[in-house]
C-alpha cells in the first residue's frame, strides 16, 4: 500500500485515471529513462510498501522489491525462461520447485537479451508486516526460508501462552 499517491501525483502534475495507489508508481516509472532511475524515484518519493514488475519498449523485464521488503517477491530461471511471482507457491503451481530465489529488499532485477542483472538500488531495511503473513500470504508460501504455515502455527502457540483460556 502506497500512503502518499495523491501527493506524488500532484507534485508532478500527473493526471489521475484511476483510484489505484499504484498509479503514482506507474507514472514515476513512465517518467524515467531507465528502470534503475524509476526504482530510485519510487524509493525517494513513495511512502509505503510496493513491488513492481514492468516491461519497457526494448522488451526488458524489471522486477523490484522496495527496501522495506514488506511484500514477498521471488524469481526463478528455468532454461531460457525467467519467472517472477509474488510468492513461491505460484511458481510451485507451475511445477517449479528448485532455483527459486527471493528478491532482496531494495533489489532491482533487469532481464534483457544480455542476460539477468541484479543490482541494489537502496540499502535493505527489512521490516516485518504482521498482516502480510497472517492475512495476505498463502499458507503454503515461504518467505525468508520459513513456511508461512509454520509462522502462523507459532503465532497461535504464543497467543495461547500469553492469553490462556479454558474451553
Amino acid at each position: 500500500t502506497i500512503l502518499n499517491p495523491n501527493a506524488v501525483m500532484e507534485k508532478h502534475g500527473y493526471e489521475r485515471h484511476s483510484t489505484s495507489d499504484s498509479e503514482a508508481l506507474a507514472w514515476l516509472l513512465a517518467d524515467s529513462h531507465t528502470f534503475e532511475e524509476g526504482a530510485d524515484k519510487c524509493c525517494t518519493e513513495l511512502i509505503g510498501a510496493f513491488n513492481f514488475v514492468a516491461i519497457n519498449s526494448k522488451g526488458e523485464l524489471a522486477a523490484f522489491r522496495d527496501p522495506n521488503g514488506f511484500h514477498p517477491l521471488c524469481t526463478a530461471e528455468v532454461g531460457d525462461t525467467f519467472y517472477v511471482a509474488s510468492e513461491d507457491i505460484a511458481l510451485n503451481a507451475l511445477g517449479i520447485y528448485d532455483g527459486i530465489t527471493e528478491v532482496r529488499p531494495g533489489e532491482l532485477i533487469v532481464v534483457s537479451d544480455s542476460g539477468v542483472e541484479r543490482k541494489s538500488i537502496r540499502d535493505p531495511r527489512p521490516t516485518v508486516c504482521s498482516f502480510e503473513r497472517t492475512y495476505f500470504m498463502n499458507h503454503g508460501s515461504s518467505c525468508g526460508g520459513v513456511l508461512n504455515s509454520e509462522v502462523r502455527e507459532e503465532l497461535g502457540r504464543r497467543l495461547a501462552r500469553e492469553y490462556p483460556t479454558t474451553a
Side-chain angles (χ1 to χ4, degrees), residues 22-99:
S22 298
E23 187 175 1
L25 183 150
W27 275 109
L28 289 172
L29 288 177
D31 217 12
S32 300
H33 295 96
T34 64
F35 286 126
E36 188 172 348
E37 179 187 339
D40 187 62
K41 280 183 184 179
C42 288
C43 289
T44 300
E45 300 205 31
L46 300 176
I47 298 169
F50 58 90
N51 292 337
F52 71 74
V53 177
I55 191 165
N56 65 17
S57 61
K58 295 184 254 181
E60 297 171 326
L61 173 76
F64 179 73
R65 187 174 181 194
D66 81 79
N68 294 314
F70 277 119
H71 304 303
L73 189 64
C74 58
T75 65
E77 280 185 81
V78 179
D80 62 352
T81 304
F82 191 85
Y83 296 87
V84 180
S86 58
E87 298 179 43
D88 60 355
I89 197 164
L91 298 174
N92 298 160
L94 298 173
I96 303 167
Y97 297 93
D98 298 323

Side-chain angles (χ1 to χ4, degrees), residues 3 6 19 24-25 40 52 57 64 89 103 107 133 146 157:
L3 303 176
N6 293 335
T19 57
L25 183 150
D40 187 62
F52 71 74
S57 61
F64 179 73
I89 197 164
V103 177
E107 181 180 35
R133 284 203 182 253
V146 180
R157 282 191 284 276

Side-chain angles (χ1 to χ4, degrees), residues 1 39 53 124 138 140:
T1 302
V53 177
N138 184 291

Side-chain angles (χ1 to χ4, degrees), residues 108-126:
L108 172 69
I109 300 171
V110 178
V111 182
S112 69
D113 290 338
S114 305
V116 179
E117 183 180 4
R118 295 175 176 264
K119 58 176 82 172
S120 179
I121 299 299
R122 292 289 170 96
D123 289 335
R125 301 181 310 260

